[in-house]
Amino acid sequence: MTDAQQTDSSTTDQHSGSTGCCCGAGHGLSRRRALGLGAAGLTAPVLAACGSSEEAATDTEPTATSGEALGAAADVPVGSGVIYTDAEVVVTQPTEGEYKGFSAVCTHQGCIVSQISADGIVCTCHNSVFDVATGEVVSGPAPSPLGSVEVTVDADEVTVA
């Protein structure tokens, strides 16, 4: 007898031979149907909790305000950048003397980007990577580029414009 053919004698209705409640009343809910409903009930919340990789963060604006000083321009390495976590701004220097500002809020699910590597600006929450010169998505689940933030360099200090 295969697994699909086996029945549990404790749940077989003694009057009709159908699988039913342990009381033998045959309430119309077979063990197979109950297990199927239970699996469906567990599957939906689990899948919903996983979310979609296409989910975009609803608020990707940095908390920095116009005129806010971020730090010394000398601290921003050429070909890389600095993440100002409190202001939620990333400042990069793709080429000597060219400074770019971006929101540090990842467009995937709103984590703050946490490092700048040879690959680009990295959000380690879900491994999205953004280009240091443009903020464009290089790889990962982020659906759109990092938002642009106007920055200026005056007297060797990077400031939000």
Side-chain angles (χ1 to χ4, degrees), residues 16-91:
S16 66
S18 66
T19 304
C21 178
C22 61
C23 72
H27 298 293
L29 184 62
S30 69
R31 182 174 56 154
R32 177 179 290 169
R33 181 155 168 81
L35 289 173
L37 290 173
L42 290 174
T43 303
V46 169
L47 290 177
C50 290
S52 167
S53 64
E54 298 302 314
E55 281 184 39
T58 56
D59 184 14
T60 59
E61 293 296 316
T63 58
T65 57
S66 181
E68 183 175 339
L70 298 172
D75 292 341
V76 183
V78 176
S80 188
V82 175
I83 300 166
Y84 298 98
T85 307
D86 291 344
E88 297 180 348
V89 173
V90 177
V91 176

Side-chain angles (χ1 to χ4, degrees), residues 105-144:
V105 182
C106 181
T107 59
H108 177 231
Q109 291 187 341
C111 293
I112 301 298
V113 297
S114 56
Q115 67 185 37
I116 299 177
S117 72
D119 296 328
I121 303 164
V122 181
C123 177
T124 56
C125 287
H126 301 103
N127 296 317
S128 289
V129 179
F130 303 90
D131 186 87
V132 295
T134 65
E136 291 291 324
V137 178
V138 173
S139 65
S144 55

Side-chain angles (χ1 to χ4, degrees), residues 66-73 91 97 99-101 149-161:
S66 181
E68 183 175 339
L70 298 172
V91 176
Y99 293 87
K100 301 280 187 164
V149 174
E150 292 295 319
V151 294
T152 60
V153 176
D154 189 30
D156 198 40
E157 182 139 277
V158 180
T159 306
V160 176

